[in-house]
Amino acid sequence: MKAKAEYETQDYYGVISDMGRILKSYPSHIEAYQLRGEAYFRLGEHDTAVNHFREGLKLDPEHKGCKKGHKAIKTLLKKEKRGDDAFQA
């Protein structure tokens, strides 16, 4: 798959574009949501990444890749919040 190769070479914008085209044709393609979420995560666009993982989980609540990605972002956001709170104190 071209998008996986793009992901491995850190062409995250290419992944987002390719997966967007796939999702337009196949809106229930869970792996496309996962890979697009991972690309947004790598670009630091965490809210958008969470949205993509959630869309995948709506289709399959037990999808391992989407669950893993969603959990990773939530964990990161909690740590960022704790760090910000500690810095403010």
Side-chain angles (χ1 to χ4, degrees):
M1 178 185 271
K2 178 183 171 190
K4 286 188 180 183
E6 289 171 333
Y7 184 84
E8 293 300 323
T9 60
Q10 299 179 354
D11 179 10
Y12 302 123
Y13 291 107
V15 172
I16 291 166
S17 175
D18 289 344
M19 293 298 97
R21 283 193 294 273
I22 288 174
L23 288 169
K24 282 183 182 177
S25 298
Y26 306 99
S28 61
H29 196 289
I30 298 171
E31 286 78 17
Y33 284 112
Q34 176 189 348
L35 198 53
R36 204 165 197 224
E38 290 174 3
Y40 277 117
F41 176 72
R42 295 291 182 174
L43 291 170
E45 297 183 33
H46 298 138
D47 291 337
T48 306
V50 166
N51 290 338
H52 280 79
F53 290 129
R54 284 183 181 157
E55 286 299 316
L57 290 170
K58 284 181 190 175
L59 297 169
D60 178 4
E62 296 302 316
H63 188 269
K64 289 182 182 180
C66 288
K67 283 175 78 170
K68 181 179 175 184
H70 188 266
K71 182 178 179 181
I73 292 174
K74 288 299 188 179
T75 300
L76 176 69
L77 294 176
K78 284 180 186 176
K79 288 180 180 180
E80 282 181 356
K81 185 178 181 331
R82 276 187 274 172
D84 290 345
D85 291 347
F87 184 73
Q88 298 295 327

